[in-house]
Amino acid sequence: MTKVLVLYYSSYGHIEQMADAVAEGARATGAEVDIRRVPETAPDAVVKAAHFKTDTAHPEIEGIEALRNYDAIVIGAPTRFGRMPAQMAAFLDQAGGLWKSGALIGKGGAAFTSTASQHGGQETTLFSILTNLLHHGMTIVGLDYGFQAQMG
């Protein structure tokens, strides 16, 4: 059975909801799916003042080495000025050992994001995530323009 990781960061719960939907879709294909979040790196005062959502049903990932255990990894993160947020970048920046050993070569990879506006930088955020996956030799999987259900 294919083992899929849906790994996300969410400040306000939007990406968390999307992670649940991605996991539901992967499970519908028969995959075994784990949902994990990356650690919060913002200071507690910022988290409180900005009213971040801090209650979640998903545990934090058990460290970067956990990525080895999956056949596919789907990463979700909100847009921060057209790129992934620092929390996700800080987690992925620890993956040098995985890169050096080739641990993720040939595994499936995908990404999802959300923004507060139509032109909020979704495409460049996705590229900032996908670039990491490509550097690890992962095979990028996604919905192409021919998938008409995304037009509604």
Side-chain angles (χ1 to χ4, degrees), residues 30-84:
E32 177 185 336
V33 181
D34 291 334
I35 306 173
R36 298 288 184 269
R37 58 190 171 83
V38 299
E40 179 62 72
T41 59
D44 288 340
V46 171
V47 169
K48 220 176 225 185
H51 306 287
F52 283 10
K53 181 182 182 297
T54 57
D55 60 322
T56 178
H58 309 125
E60 281 186 9
I61 186 93
E62 303 83 16
I64 198 73
E65 287 294 321
L67 300 183
R68 291 180 185 274
N69 303 326
Y70 296 93
D71 302 305
I73 301 167
V74 184
I75 296 179
T79 294
R80 295 292 186 269
F81 304 106
R83 59 184 172 79
M84 76 175 97

mmCIF file of all heavy atoms in Angstrom, residues 30-84:
data_model
loop_
_atom_site.group_PDB
_atom_site.id
_atom_site.type_symbol
_atom_site.label_atom_id
_atom_site.label_comp_id
_atom_site.label_asym_id
_atom_site.label_seq_id
_atom_site.Cartn_x
_atom_site.Cartn_y
_atom_site.Cartn_z
ATOM 1 N N GLY A 30 -7.040 4.465 -1.821
ATOM 2 C CA GLY A 30 -6.518 3.295 -1.141
ATOM 3 C C GLY A 30 -5.194 3.517 -0.445
ATOM 4 O O GLY A 30 -4.626 2.589 0.131
ATOM 5 N N ALA A 31 -4.687 4.739 -0.463
ATOM 6 C CA ALA A 31 -3.401 5.028 0.179
ATOM 7 C C ALA A 31 -3.550 5.096 1.696
ATOM 8 O O ALA A 31 -4.608 5.454 2.217
ATOM 9 C CB ALA A 31 -2.838 6.350 -0.333
ATOM 10 N N GLU A 32 -2.470 4.770 2.379
ATOM 11 C CA GLU A 32 -2.371 4.993 3.815
ATOM 12 C C GLU A 32 -1.812 6.403 3.979
ATOM 13 O O GLU A 32 -0.765 6.727 3.405
ATOM 14 C CB GLU A 32 -1.422 3.971 4.428
ATOM 15 C CG GLU A 32 -1.186 4.143 5.899
ATOM 16 C CD GLU A 32 -0.141 3.180 6.437
ATOM 17 O OE1 GLU A 32 0.077 2.109 5.826
ATOM 18 O OE2 GLU A 32 0.477 3.519 7.464
ATOM 19 N N VAL A 33 -2.501 7.254 4.740
ATOM 20 C CA VAL A 33 -2.140 8.668 4.806
ATOM 21 C C VAL A 33 -1.929 9.118 6.247
ATOM 22 O O VAL A 33 -2.743 8.842 7.120
ATOM 23 C CB VAL A 33 -3.231 9.547 4.157
ATOM 24 C CG1 VAL A 33 -2.843 11.022 4.209
ATOM 25 C CG2 VAL A 33 -3.519 9.106 2.735
ATOM 26 N N ASP A 34 -0.818 9.815 6.464
ATOM 27 C CA ASP A 34 -0.560 10.497 7.732
ATOM 28 C C ASP A 34 -0.602 11.995 7.475
ATOM 29 O O ASP A 34 -0.077 12.465 6.457
ATOM 30 C CB ASP A 34 0.823 10.140 8.283
ATOM 31 C CG ASP A 34 0.929 8.705 8.745
ATOM 32 O OD1 ASP A 34 -0.109 8.100 9.110
ATOM 33 O OD2 ASP A 34 2.053 8.173 8.756
ATOM 34 N N ILE A 35 -1.202 12.733 8.395
ATOM 35 C CA ILE A 35 -1.204 14.192 8.333
ATOM 36 C C ILE A 35 -0.352 14.688 9.490
ATOM 37 O O ILE A 35 -0.580 14.326 10.640
ATOM 38 C CB ILE A 35 -2.619 14.785 8.449
ATOM 39 C CG1 ILE A 35 -3.557 14.180 7.413
ATOM 40 C CG2 ILE A 35 -2.560 16.302 8.319
ATOM 41 C CD1 ILE A 35 -5.009 14.611 7.591
ATOM 42 N N ARG A 36 0.644 15.511 9.158
ATOM 43 C CA ARG A 36 1.534 16.072 10.173
ATOM 44 C C ARG A 36 1.739 17.561 9.883
ATOM 45 O O ARG A 36 1.646 17.998 8.743
ATOM 46 C CB ARG A 36 2.900 15.374 10.167
ATOM 47 C CG ARG A 36 2.842 13.894 10.480
ATOM 48 C CD ARG A 36 2.529 13.644 11.952
ATOM 49 N NE ARG A 36 2.574 12.240 12.278
ATOM 50 C CZ ARG A 36 1.520 11.418 12.226
ATOM 51 N NH1 ARG A 36 0.345 11.882 11.841
ATOM 52 N NH2 ARG A 36 1.648 10.149 12.554
ATOM 53 N N ARG A 37 2.063 18.296 10.922
ATOM 54 C CA ARG A 37 2.345 19.721 10.761
ATOM 55 C C ARG A 37 3.782 19.985 11.175
ATOM 56 O O ARG A 37 4.363 19.220 11.946
ATOM 57 C CB ARG A 37 1.375 20.569 11.561
ATOM 58 C CG ARG A 37 1.363 20.270 13.032
ATOM 59 C CD ARG A 37 0.196 20.981 13.745
ATOM 60 N NE ARG A 37 0.082 20.507 15.102
ATOM 61 C CZ ARG A 37 0.788 20.947 16.128
ATOM 62 N NH1 ARG A 37 1.669 21.927 15.958
ATOM 63 N NH2 ARG A 37 0.635 20.449 17.328
ATOM 64 N N VAL A 38 4.343 21.054 10.633
ATOM 65 C CA VAL A 38 5.694 21.444 11.036
ATOM 66 C C VAL A 38 5.599 22.318 12.278
ATOM 67 O O VAL A 38 4.558 22.915 12.556
ATOM 68 C CB VAL A 38 6.462 22.171 9.894
ATOM 69 C CG1 VAL A 38 6.614 21.266 8.682
ATOM 70 C CG2 VAL A 38 5.803 23.477 9.525
ATOM 71 N N PRO A 39 6.678 22.413 13.046
ATOM 72 C CA PRO A 39 6.653 23.209 14.277
ATOM 73 C C PRO A 39 6.430 24.700 14.009
ATOM 74 O O PRO A 39 6.884 25.241 13.000
ATOM 75 C CB PRO A 39 8.045 22.980 14.870
ATOM 76 C CG PRO A 39 8.560 21.741 14.246
ATOM 77 C CD PRO A 39 7.943 21.694 12.879
ATOM 78 N N GLU A 40 5.754 25.321 14.945
ATOM 79 C CA GLU A 40 5.583 26.779 14.917
ATOM 80 C C GLU A 40 6.891 27.400 15.374
ATOM 81 O O GLU A 40 7.465 26.980 16.380
ATOM 82 C CB GLU A 40 4.442 27.189 15.850
ATOM 83 C CG GLU A 40 4.195 28.677 15.917
ATOM 84 C CD GLU A 40 3.799 29.248 14.573
ATOM 85 O OE1 GLU A 40 2.675 28.995 14.115
ATOM 86 O OE2 GLU A 40 4.650 29.958 13.972
ATOM 87 N N THR A 41 7.365 28.377 14.635
ATOM 88 C CA THR A 41 8.604 29.055 15.010
ATOM 89 C C THR A 41 8.386 30.507 15.414
ATOM 90 O O THR A 41 9.321 31.160 15.886
ATOM 91 C CB THR A 41 9.628 29.011 13.854
ATOM 92 O OG1 THR A 41 9.057 29.648 12.709
ATOM 93 C CG2 THR A 41 10.004 27.572 13.516
ATOM 94 N N ALA A 42 7.174 31.015 15.230
ATOM 95 C CA ALA A 42 6.890 32.393 15.634
ATOM 96 C C ALA A 42 6.884 32.481 17.158
ATOM 97 O O ALA A 42 6.438 31.548 17.839
ATOM 98 C CB ALA A 42 5.546 32.849 15.073
ATOM 99 N N PRO A 43 7.351 33.592 17.703
ATOM 100 C CA PRO A 43 7.324 33.769 19.157
ATOM 101 C C PRO A 43 5.882 33.713 19.687
ATOM 102 O O PRO A 43 4.940 34.114 18.996
ATOM 103 C CB PRO A 43 7.914 35.169 19.363
ATOM 104 C CG PRO A 43 8.683 35.445 18.116
ATOM 105 C CD PRO A 43 7.973 34.723 17.014
ATOM 106 N N ASP A 44 5.718 33.213 20.897
ATOM 107 C CA ASP A 44 4.385 33.085 21.495
ATOM 108 C C ASP A 44 3.622 34.400 21.481
ATOM 109 O O ASP A 44 2.406 34.412 21.245
ATOM 110 C CB ASP A 44 4.488 32.572 22.933
ATOM 111 C CG ASP A 44 4.887 31.109 22.987
ATOM 112 O OD1 ASP A 44 4.720 30.391 21.968
ATOM 113 O OD2 ASP A 44 5.372 30.674 24.046
ATOM 114 N N ALA A 45 4.311 35.496 21.719
ATOM 115 C CA ALA A 45 3.638 36.802 21.729
ATOM 116 C C ALA A 45 3.033 37.126 20.365
ATOM 117 O O ALA A 45 1.940 37.686 20.275
ATOM 118 C CB ALA A 45 4.618 37.894 22.149
ATOM 119 N N VAL A 46 3.736 36.758 19.301
ATOM 120 C CA VAL A 46 3.230 36.990 17.940
ATOM 121 C C VAL A 46 2.042 36.078 17.663
ATOM 122 O O VAL A 46 1.016 36.506 17.124
ATOM 123 C CB VAL A 46 4.348 36.770 16.894
ATOM 124 C CG1 VAL A 46 3.788 36.801 15.479
ATOM 125 C CG2 VAL A 46 5.443 37.808 17.071
ATOM 126 N N VAL A 47 2.154 34.828 18.028
ATOM 127 C CA VAL A 47 1.075 33.860 17.834
ATOM 128 C C VAL A 47 -0.196 34.350 18.513
ATOM 129 O O VAL A 47 -1.284 34.311 17.935
ATOM 130 C CB VAL A 47 1.491 32.464 18.358
ATOM 131 C CG1 VAL A 47 0.316 31.510 18.410
ATOM 132 C CG2 VAL A 47 2.612 31.886 17.504
ATOM 133 N N LYS A 48 -0.043 34.832 19.740
ATOM 134 C CA LYS A 48 -1.188 35.319 20.512
ATOM 135 C C LYS A 48 -1.765 36.598 19.902
ATOM 136 O O LYS A 48 -2.972 36.723 19.701
ATOM 137 C CB LYS A 48 -0.739 35.586 21.949
ATOM 138 C CG LYS A 48 -1.722 35.171 22.987
ATOM 139 C CD LYS A 48 -1.135 35.395 24.362
ATOM 140 C CE LYS A 48 -1.431 34.150 25.161
ATOM 141 N NZ LYS A 48 -1.033 34.224 26.540
ATOM 142 N N ALA A 49 -0.903 37.544 19.604
ATOM 143 C CA ALA A 49 -1.356 38.842 19.086
ATOM 144 C C ALA A 49 -2.017 38.716 17.720
ATOM 145 O O ALA A 49 -2.953 39.456 17.409
ATOM 146 C CB ALA A 49 -0.179 39.814 19.013
ATOM 147 N N ALA A 50 -1.544 37.781 16.911
ATOM 148 C CA ALA A 50 -2.099 37.599 15.566
ATOM 149 C C ALA A 50 -3.252 36.601 15.550
ATOM 150 O O ALA A 50 -3.814 36.328 14.489
ATOM 151 C CB ALA A 50 -0.998 37.138 14.622
ATOM 152 N N HIS A 51 -3.579 36.046 16.704
ATOM 153 C CA HIS A 51 -4.700 35.108 16.836
ATOM 154 C C HIS A 51 -4.543 33.866 15.967
ATOM 155 O O HIS A 51 -5.496 33.410 15.329
ATOM 156 C CB HIS A 51 -6.039 35.805 16.535
ATOM 157 C CG HIS A 51 -6.257 37.023 17.361
ATOM 158 N ND1 HIS A 51 -6.570 36.976 18.708
ATOM 159 C CD2 HIS A 51 -6.179 38.346 17.039
ATOM 160 C CE1 HIS A 51 -6.682 38.208 19.171
ATOM 161 N NE2 HIS A 51 -6.448 39.061 18.192
ATOM 162 N N PHE A 52 -3.321 33.312 15.944
ATOM 163 C CA PHE A 52 -3.094 32.065 15.211
ATOM 164 C C PHE A 52 -3.968 30.971 15.811
ATOM 165 O O PHE A 52 -4.220 30.961 17.021
ATOM 166 C CB PHE A 52 -1.628 31.628 15.326
ATOM 167 C CG PHE A 52 -0.648 32.380 14.467
ATOM 168 C CD1 PHE A 52 -0.989 33.529 13.784
ATOM 169 C CD2 PHE A 52 0.650 31.924 14.358
ATOM 170 C CE1 PHE A 52 -0.067 34.214 13.014
ATOM 171 C CE2 PHE A 52 1.590 32.589 13.576
ATOM 172 C CZ PHE A 52 1.228 33.744 12.906
ATOM 173 N N LYS A 53 -4.372 30.042 14.987
ATOM 174 C CA LYS A 53 -5.113 28.865 15.442
ATOM 175 C C LYS A 53 -4.091 27.897 16.041
ATOM 176 O O LYS A 53 -3.178 27.459 15.358
ATOM 177 C CB LYS A 53 -5.840 28.210 14.264
ATOM 178 C CG LYS A 53 -6.660 27.003 14.644
ATOM 179 C CD LYS A 53 -7.303 26.388 13.393
ATOM 180 C CE LYS A 53 -8.183 25.213 13.714
ATOM 181 N NZ LYS A 53 -7.493 24.088 14.291
ATOM 182 N N THR A 54 -4.245 27.589 17.304
ATOM 183 C CA THR A 54 -3.255 26.734 17.968
ATOM 184 C C THR A 54 -3.798 25.351 18.321
ATOM 185 O O THR A 54 -3.030 24.478 18.709
ATOM 186 C CB THR A 54 -2.723 27.404 19.249
ATOM 187 O OG1 THR A 54 -3.822 27.688 20.116
ATOM 188 C CG2 THR A 54 -1.976 28.689 18.916
ATOM 189 N N ASP A 55 -5.101 25.145 18.187
ATOM 190 C CA ASP A 55 -5.645 23.814 18.453
ATOM 191 C C ASP A 55 -5.750 23.044 17.137
ATOM 192 O O ASP A 55 -6.247 23.555 16.154
ATOM 193 C CB ASP A 55 -7.020 23.911 19.122
ATOM 194 C CG ASP A 55 -8.045 24.641 18.260
ATOM 195 O OD1 ASP A 55 -7.659 25.640 17.592
ATOM 196 O OD2 ASP A 55 -9.208 24.233 18.234
ATOM 197 N N THR A 56 -5.228 21.838 17.134
ATOM 198 C CA THR A 56 -5.240 21.023 15.925
ATOM 199 C C THR A 56 -5.308 19.548 16.300
ATOM 200 O O THR A 56 -4.849 19.158 17.374
ATOM 201 C CB THR A 56 -3.991 21.284 15.048
ATOM 202 O OG1 THR A 56 -4.031 20.419 13.908
ATOM 203 C CG2 THR A 56 -2.713 21.058 15.817
ATOM 204 N N ALA A 57 -5.866 18.779 15.410
ATOM 205 C CA ALA A 57 -5.952 17.326 15.632
ATOM 206 C C ALA A 57 -4.703 16.610 15.140
ATOM 207 O O ALA A 57 -4.545 15.419 15.369
ATOM 208 C CB ALA A 57 -7.182 16.776 14.910
ATOM 209 N N HIS A 58 -3.819 17.350 14.466
ATOM 210 C CA HIS A 58 -2.655 16.708 13.846
ATOM 211 C C HIS A 58 -1.377 16.952 14.641
ATOM 212 O O HIS A 58 -1.060 18.089 14.972
ATOM 213 C CB HIS A 58 -2.476 17.234 12.413
ATOM 214 C CG HIS A 58 -3.739 17.147 11.627
ATOM 215 N ND1 HIS A 58 -4.292 18.232 11.006
ATOM 216 C CD2 HIS A 58 -4.577 16.113 11.382
ATOM 217 C CE1 HIS A 58 -5.413 17.875 10.402
ATOM 218 N NE2 HIS A 58 -5.609 16.592 10.622
ATOM 219 N N PRO A 59 -0.632 15.896 14.880
ATOM 220 C CA PRO A 59 0.632 16.057 15.610
ATOM 221 C C PRO A 59 1.715 16.677 14.731
ATOM 222 O O PRO A 59 1.620 16.663 13.502
ATOM 223 C CB PRO A 59 1.008 14.623 15.984
ATOM 224 C CG PRO A 59 0.346 13.773 14.956
ATOM 225 C CD PRO A 59 -0.912 14.498 14.543
ATOM 226 N N GLU A 60 2.737 17.199 15.400
ATOM 227 C CA GLU A 60 3.916 17.675 14.666
ATOM 228 C C GLU A 60 4.653 16.485 14.073
ATOM 229 O O GLU A 60 4.638 15.386 14.639
ATOM 230 C CB GLU A 60 4.868 18.424 15.605
ATOM 231 C CG GLU A 60 4.448 19.823 15.895
ATOM 232 C CD GLU A 60 5.489 20.584 16.698
ATOM 233 O OE1 GLU A 60 6.629 20.092 16.890
ATOM 234 O OE2 GLU A 60 5.144 21.690 17.153
ATOM 235 N N ILE A 61 5.322 16.731 12.959
ATOM 236 C CA ILE A 61 6.175 15.713 12.337
ATOM 237 C C ILE A 61 7.295 15.364 13.311
ATOM 238 O O ILE A 61 7.762 16.221 14.055
ATOM 239 C CB ILE A 61 6.729 16.217 10.975
ATOM 240 C CG1 ILE A 61 7.500 15.142 10.241
ATOM 241 C CG2 ILE A 61 7.564 17.462 11.137
ATOM 242 C CD1 ILE A 61 6.717 14.355 9.285
ATOM 243 N N GLU A 62 7.711 14.133 13.302
ATOM 244 C CA GLU A 62 8.712 13.641 14.252
ATOM 245 C C GLU A 62 10.137 13.975 13.830
ATOM 246 O O GLU A 62 11.072 13.276 14.211
ATOM 247 C CB GLU A 62 8.558 12.120 14.417
ATOM 248 C CG GLU A 62 7.181 11.670 14.869
ATOM 249 C CD GLU A 62 6.174 11.538 13.732
ATOM 250 O OE1 GLU A 62 6.564 11.504 12.541
ATOM 251 O OE2 GLU A 62 4.974 11.509 14.021
ATOM 252 N N GLY A 63 10.334 15.001 13.058
ATOM 253 C CA GLY A 63 11.666 15.380 12.591
ATOM 254 C C GLY A 63 11.815 15.109 11.108
ATOM 255 O O GLY A 63 11.045 14.375 10.498
ATOM 256 N N ILE A 64 12.831 15.698 10.526
ATOM 257 C CA ILE A 64 13.046 15.631 9.074
ATOM 258 C C ILE A 64 13.258 14.206 8.584
ATOM 259 O O ILE A 64 12.847 13.846 7.484
ATOM 260 C CB ILE A 64 14.203 16.568 8.645
ATOM 261 C CG1 ILE A 64 14.162 16.844 7.148
ATOM 262 C CG2 ILE A 64 15.550 16.013 9.066
ATOM 263 C CD1 ILE A 64 13.069 17.767 6.717
ATOM 264 N N GLU A 65 13.867 13.356 9.378
ATOM 265 C CA GLU A 65 14.140 11.980 8.977
ATOM 266 C C GLU A 65 12.862 11.188 8.717
ATOM 267 O O GLU A 65 12.883 10.188 8.005
ATOM 268 C CB GLU A 65 15.007 11.271 10.020
ATOM 269 C CG GLU A 65 16.448 11.739 10.018
ATOM 270 C CD GLU A 65 17.191 11.385 8.736
ATOM 271 O OE1 GLU A 65 16.986 10.293 8.197
ATOM 272 O OE2 GLU A 65 17.994 12.227 8.284
ATOM 273 N N ALA A 66 11.750 11.623 9.274
ATOM 274 C CA ALA A 66 10.476 10.927 9.072
ATOM 275 C C ALA A 66 10.069 10.912 7.597
ATOM 276 O O ALA A 66 9.327 10.031 7.162
ATOM 277 C CB ALA A 66 9.380 11.575 9.916
ATOM 278 N N LEU A 67 10.572 11.867 6.815
ATOM 279 C CA LEU A 67 10.214 11.920 5.389
ATOM 280 C C LEU A 67 10.645 10.653 4.651
ATOM 281 O O LEU A 67 10.031 10.277 3.651
ATOM 282 C CB LEU A 67 10.825 13.150 4.721
ATOM 283 C CG LEU A 67 10.411 14.514 5.281
ATOM 284 C CD1 LEU A 67 11.042 15.621 4.457
ATOM 285 C CD2 LEU A 67 8.910 14.662 5.345
ATOM 286 N N ARG A 68 11.678 9.986 5.139
ATOM 287 C CA ARG A 68 12.154 8.744 4.513
ATOM 288 C C ARG A 68 11.076 7.663 4.449
ATOM 289 O O ARG A 68 11.123 6.781 3.605
ATOM 290 C CB ARG A 68 13.316 8.152 5.306
ATOM 291 C CG ARG A 68 14.594 8.887 5.277
ATOM 292 C CD ARG A 68 15.640 8.137 6.118
ATOM 293 N NE ARG A 68 16.868 8.872 6.206
ATOM 294 C CZ ARG A 68 17.853 8.802 5.309
ATOM 295 N NH1 ARG A 68 17.744 8.015 4.268
ATOM 296 N NH2 ARG A 68 18.948 9.524 5.469
ATOM 297 N N ASN A 69 10.122 7.714 5.370
ATOM 298 C CA ASN A 69 9.158 6.637 5.554
ATOM 299 C C ASN A 69 7.972 6.669 4.601
ATOM 300 O O ASN A 69 7.065 5.856 4.728
ATOM 301 C CB ASN A 69 8.630 6.667 6.996
ATOM 302 C CG ASN A 69 9.741 6.572 8.013
ATOM 303 O OD1 ASN A 69 10.746 5.902 7.791
ATOM 304 N ND2 ASN A 69 9.574 7.258 9.123
ATOM 305 N N TYR A 70 7.961 7.596 3.662
ATOM 306 C CA TYR A 70 6.791 7.779 2.803
ATOM 307 C C TYR A 70 7.127 7.578 1.336
ATOM 308 O O TYR A 70 8.230 7.868 0.889
ATOM 309 C CB TYR A 70 6.192 9.169 3.033
ATOM 310 C CG TYR A 70 5.674 9.315 4.443
ATOM 311 C CD1 TYR A 70 6.473 9.842 5.450
ATOM 312 C CD2 TYR A 70 4.402 8.875 4.768
ATOM 313 C CE1 TYR A 70 6.009 9.940 6.755
ATOM 314 C CE2 TYR A 70 3.925 8.971 6.072
ATOM 315 C CZ TYR A 70 4.730 9.493 7.053
ATOM 316 O OH TYR A 70 4.268 9.584 8.339
ATOM 317 N N ASP A 71 6.116 7.106 0.588
ATOM 318 C CA ASP A 71 6.240 6.938 -0.864
ATOM 319 C C ASP A 71 5.944 8.246 -1.587
ATOM 320 O O ASP A 71 6.402 8.461 -2.709
ATOM 321 C CB ASP A 71 5.269 5.865 -1.357
ATOM 322 C CG ASP A 71 5.501 4.533 -0.681
ATOM 323 O OD1 ASP A 71 6.654 4.048 -0.731
ATOM 324 O OD2 ASP A 71 4.553 3.990 -0.082
ATOM 325 N N ALA A 72 5.131 9.089 -0.964
ATOM 326 C CA ALA A 72 4.761 10.384 -1.545
ATOM 327 C C ALA A 72 4.610 11.400 -0.423
ATOM 328 O O ALA A 72 4.178 11.052 0.683
ATOM 329 C CB ALA A 72 3.459 10.267 -2.330
ATOM 330 N N ILE A 73 4.959 12.639 -0.730
ATOM 331 C CA ILE A 73 4.866 13.728 0.244
ATOM 332 C C ILE A 73 4.146 14.893 -0.429
ATOM 333 O O ILE A 73 4.556 15.355 -1.497
ATOM 334 C CB ILE A 73 6.261 14.173 0.719
ATOM 335 C CG1 ILE A 73 6.994 12.990 1.365
ATOM 336 C CG2 ILE A 73 6.148 15.345 1.689
ATOM 337 C CD1 ILE A 73 8.477 13.222 1.593
ATOM 338 N N VAL A 74 3.069 15.344 0.212
ATOM 339 C CA VAL A 74 2.303 16.491 -0.273
ATOM 340 C C VAL A 74 2.456 17.589 0.768
ATOM 341 O O VAL A 74 2.115 17.389 1.935
ATOM 342 C CB VAL A 74 0.814 16.137 -0.465
ATOM 343 C CG1 VAL A 74 0.059 17.317 -1.056
ATOM 344 C CG2 VAL A 74 0.653 14.890 -1.325
ATOM 345 N N ILE A 75 2.977 18.727 0.340
ATOM 346 C CA ILE A 75 3.270 19.822 1.267
ATOM 347 C C ILE A 75 2.302 20.975 1.041
ATOM 348 O O ILE A 75 2.109 21.430 -0.086
ATOM 349 C CB ILE A 75 4.721 20.306 1.099
ATOM 350 C CG1 ILE A 75 5.678 19.178 1.487
ATOM 351 C CG2 ILE A 75 4.976 21.562 1.935
ATOM 352 C CD1 ILE A 75 7.142 19.504 1.336
ATOM 353 N N GLY A 76 1.719 21.439 2.141
ATOM 354 C CA GLY A 76 0.811 22.581 2.087
ATOM 355 C C GLY A 76 1.276 23.699 2.983
ATOM 356 O O GLY A 76 1.713 23.463 4.116
ATOM 357 N N ALA A 77 1.208 24.911 2.466
ATOM 358 C CA ALA A 77 1.620 26.081 3.247
ATOM 359 C C ALA A 77 0.928 27.319 2.692
ATOM 360 O O ALA A 77 0.699 27.407 1.489
ATOM 361 C CB ALA A 77 3.135 26.260 3.175
ATOM 362 N N PRO A 78 0.618 28.267 3.552
ATOM 363 C CA PRO A 78 0.045 29.520 3.070
ATOM 364 C C PRO A 78 1.099 30.351 2.348
ATOM 365 O O PRO A 78 2.291 30.063 2.423
ATOM 366 C CB PRO A 78 -0.409 30.213 4.357
ATOM 367 C CG PRO A 78 0.484 29.666 5.416
ATOM 368 C CD PRO A 78 0.790 28.250 5.000
ATOM 369 N N THR A 79 0.630 31.361 1.680
ATOM 370 C CA THR A 79 1.529 32.252 0.961
ATOM 371 C C THR A 79 1.995 33.382 1.872
ATOM 372 O O THR A 79 1.184 34.011 2.549
ATOM 373 C CB THR A 79 0.812 32.831 -0.273
ATOM 374 O OG1 THR A 79 0.554 31.770 -1.167
ATOM 375 C CG2 THR A 79 1.638 33.872 -0.965
ATOM 376 N N ARG A 80 3.285 33.603 1.869
ATOM 377 C CA ARG A 80 3.870 34.745 2.574
ATOM 378 C C ARG A 80 4.698 35.523 1.562
ATOM 379 O O ARG A 80 5.797 35.115 1.215
ATOM 380 C CB ARG A 80 4.768 34.294 3.733
ATOM 381 C CG ARG A 80 4.034 33.591 4.843
ATOM 382 C CD ARG A 80 3.092 34.552 5.599
ATOM 383 N NE ARG A 80 2.500 33.900 6.747
ATOM 384 C CZ ARG A 80 1.335 33.237 6.728
ATOM 385 N NH1 ARG A 80 0.639 33.149 5.615
ATOM 386 N NH2 ARG A 80 0.875 32.679 7.818
ATOM 387 N N PHE A 81 4.119 36.594 1.051
ATOM 388 C CA PHE A 81 4.797 37.445 0.077
ATOM 389 C C PHE A 81 5.273 36.643 -1.134
ATOM 390 O O PHE A 81 6.390 36.815 -1.625
ATOM 391 C CB PHE A 81 5.962 38.196 0.733
ATOM 392 C CG PHE A 81 5.521 39.005 1.927
ATOM 393 C CD1 PHE A 81 5.820 38.581 3.215
ATOM 394 C CD2 PHE A 81 4.784 40.162 1.762
ATOM 395 C CE1 PHE A 81 5.403 39.308 4.314
ATOM 396 C CE2 PHE A 81 4.354 40.898 2.851
ATOM 397 C CZ PHE A 81 4.673 40.470 4.130
ATOM 398 N N GLY A 82 4.429 35.729 -1.620
ATOM 399 C CA GLY A 82 4.738 34.968 -2.817
ATOM 400 C C GLY A 82 5.695 33.807 -2.609
ATOM 401 O O GLY A 82 6.266 33.284 -3.552
ATOM 402 N N ARG A 83 5.875 33.378 -1.370
ATOM 403 C CA ARG A 83 6.746 32.233 -1.098
ATOM 404 C C ARG A 83 6.192 31.490 0.115
ATOM 405 O O ARG A 83 5.284 31.964 0.790
ATOM 406 C CB ARG A 83 8.186 32.667 -0.860
ATOM 407 C CG ARG A 83 8.347 33.617 0.294
ATOM 408 C CD ARG A 83 9.781 34.121 0.461
ATOM 409 N NE ARG A 83 9.851 35.159 1.461
ATOM 410 C CZ ARG A 83 9.853 34.956 2.769
ATOM 411 N NH1 ARG A 83 9.796 33.749 3.261
ATOM 412 N NH2 ARG A 83 9.920 35.968 3.607
ATOM 413 N N MET A 84 6.793 30.332 0.401
ATOM 414 C CA MET A 84 6.353 29.583 1.573
ATOM 415 C C MET A 84 6.731 30.331 2.845
ATOM 416 O O MET A 84 7.695 31.113 2.858
ATOM 417 C CB MET A 84 6.955 28.179 1.560
ATOM 418 C CG MET A 84 8.408 28.109 1.951
ATOM 419 S SD MET A 84 9.004 26.423 2.056
ATOM 420 C CE MET A 84 9.755 26.255 0.453
#
